[in-house]
């Protein structure tokens, strides 16, 4: 469904000069697949998502969706951002139905379609509430419902749960997985959270430090719905962390100097040692 071939993106800085955000990236995302991009801050994850969304243009390479060049935004792709971006003067129902109204769908039909998605994210009792009356998690549920109401083939999610507390994130992980299992939308998901990526995804792609490239790919062959206690998830999570460790160390060394290093085994393996003595 999404094919990225040898894509590079360079930005011009206000102070002069340029920097390359991503360099020669190639990957394929199949129809109905849930793929997460994971990597250090500034590695180009969001840039790559914006390119797929048609919000940015690549200097090199090609991006196609269903075989067609992807150079502008389209109704087949909807972005869910970290900030919910709800209109504060509209109710949940009107926010979710907003895109349908822009498409010229009649009031009765668009409200029925919007309510269907509001029910899917368990906000039925809050359909007449305004954004300021909702918790952070509820706002993101409304944003997801708004995206689903447009019935896109592809959901592009840029750290949608980053600003939420851990308990709310866990709830939304379950709800997003349920939505994905029911709709089989193709999802490209950006996150800094290793466990989040592993629990939600079919594949996790680890990106290198800037200029970003695809460093390593991990298939998550765990049963769905996912169980946090599944040993398969723990194994993949440990493998992803190992792949990320070198990249994180590069980022920190840029700030703190070459003498800094990440201790990959901070705890002693010896049972004779006191707990935490190896930290």
């Amino acid at each position: 469904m999404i094919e990225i071939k040898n894509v590079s993106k360079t930005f011009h800085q206000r102070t002069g000069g340029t920097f390359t955000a991503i360099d020669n990236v190639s990957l394929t995302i199949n129809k109905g697949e849930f793929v997460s991009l994971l990597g250090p801050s500034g590695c180009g994850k969001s840039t790559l998502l914006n390119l797929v969304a048609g919000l940015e243009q690549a200097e090199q390479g090609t991006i196609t969706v269903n075989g067609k060049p992807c150079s502008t935004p389209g109704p087949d792709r909807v972005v869910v951002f970290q900030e919910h971006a709800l209109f504060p003067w509209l109710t949940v129902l009107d926010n979710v139905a907003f895109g349908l109204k822009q498409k010229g769908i009649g009031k009765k039909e668009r409200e029925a379609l919007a309510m269907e998605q509001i029910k899917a994210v368990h906000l039925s009792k809050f359909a007449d509430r305004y954004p300021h009356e909702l918790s952070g998690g509820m706002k993101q549920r409304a944003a997801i419902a708004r995206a689903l109401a447009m019935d896109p083939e592809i959901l592009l999610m840029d750290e949608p749960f980053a600003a939420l507390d851990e308990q709310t994130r866990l709830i939304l992980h379950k709800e997003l997985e349920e939505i994905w299992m029911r709709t089989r939308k193709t999802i490209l998901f950006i996150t800094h959270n290793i466990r989040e990526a592993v629990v939600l995804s079919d594949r996790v792609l680890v990106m290198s430090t800037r200029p970003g490239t695809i460093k390593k790919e991990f298939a998550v062959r765990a049963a769905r719905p996912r169980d946090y206690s599944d040993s398969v998830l723990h194994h993949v999570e440990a493998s992803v962390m190992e792949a990320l460790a070198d990249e994180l160390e590069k980022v920190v060394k840029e700030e703190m100097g070459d003498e800094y290093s990440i201790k990959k085994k901070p705890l002693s393996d010896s049972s004779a040692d006191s707990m935490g003595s190896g930290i």
Side-chain angles (χ1 to χ4, degrees):
M1 172 159 281
I2 303 171
E3 190 164 16
I4 300 168
K5 287 186 177 180
N6 308 119
V7 167
S8 298
K9 175 64 178 177
T10 299
F11 290 96
H12 294 275
Q13 297 174 305
R14 287 179 298 175
T15 55
T18 61
F19 72 88
T20 301
I22 57 173
D23 183 35
N24 200 34
V25 170
S26 295
L27 68 99
T28 299
I29 299 174
N30 298 316
K31 182 177 176 63
E33 195 174 21
F34 196 129
V35 174
S36 286
L37 290 177
L38 190 67
S41 296
C43 72
K45 301 184 296 297
S46 293
T47 296
L48 190 55
L49 181 139
N50 288 338
L51 290 170
V52 175
L55 301 175
E56 299 277 359
Q57 303 299 313
E59 283 84 19
Q60 175 185 310
T62 60
I63 299 176
T64 57
V65 174
N66 288 324
K68 298 178 181 178
C70 173
S71 57
T72 59
D76 56 344
R77 289 153 285 138
V78 173
V79 183
V80 179
F81 295 102
Q82 180 176 341
E83 296 297 329
H84 53 80
L86 299 175
F87 297 115
W89 59 88
L90 297 180
T91 64
V92 168
L93 176 59
D94 290 336
N95 264 289
V96 174
F98 182 82
L100 300 174
K101 183 178 181 180
Q102 299 303 109
K103 291 174 68 174
I105 297 175
K107 182 177 181 179
K108 188 174 181 179
E109 183 182 357
R110 70 173 180 260
E111 287 187 351
L113 291 170
M115 278 305 302
E116 183 180 339
Q117 300 307 329
I118 289 170
K119 289 177 182 176
V121 297
H122 309 296
L123 282 178
S124 299
K125 295 180 180 179
F126 300 89
D128 61 348
R129 302 289 182 88
Y130 290 90
H132 73 272
E133 298 177 292
L134 305 177
S135 68
M138 289 178 178
K139 291 174 184 176
Q140 279 302 75
R141 289 186 199 180
I144 293 170
R146 181 176 58 186
L148 291 171
M150 299 299 292
D151 195 25
E153 292 184 81
I154 299 167
L155 279 178
L156 304 171
M157 309 188 79
D158 193 358
E159 297 191 66
F161 308 141
L164 304 178
D165 63 85
E166 187 65 16
Q167 291 179 349
T168 303
R169 286 174 80 122
L170 294 178
I171 293 170
L172 290 183
H173 288 170
K174 290 294 185 184
E175 292 190 351
L176 179 59
E177 184 182 36
E178 288 173 3
I179 290 169
W180 176 82
M181 291 177 69
R182 186 180 71 252
T183 65
R184 294 294 175 173
K185 300 287 185 188
T186 304
I187 298 180
L188 178 59
F189 191 92
I190 307 298
T191 181
H192 280 102
N193 189 300
I194 298 172
R195 175 157 295 185
E196 181 171 79
V198 172
V199 166
L200 290 173
S201 308
D202 296 316
R203 283 189 293 151
V204 177
L205 306 179
V206 175
M207 294 187 69
S208 65
T209 53
R210 195 171 69 207
T213 58
I214 304 298
K215 178 180 180 179
K216 201 162 185 177
E217 175 183 316
F218 297 88
V220 187
R221 296 186 178 92
R224 291 188 185 271
R226 295 280 165 80
D227 182 346
Y228 284 93
S229 64
D230 192 329
S231 60
V232 173
L233 299 181
H234 296 167
H235 174 74
V236 176
E237 187 177 353
S239 299
V240 171
M241 184 64 240
E242 186 176 351
L244 268 177
D246 291 340
E247 301 309 314
L248 297 174
E249 188 165 0
K250 290 176 188 176
V251 172
V252 176
K253 279 185 174 181
E254 285 184 5
E255 298 294 328
M256 302 183 67
D258 290 338
E259 69 278 1
Y260 182 88
S261 65
I262 294 175
K263 296 179 180 180
K264 296 184 180 179
K265 287 188 177 182
L267 294 179
S268 171
D269 291 329
S270 172
S271 60
D273 292 337
S274 59
M275 183 64 180
S277 62
I279 295 176

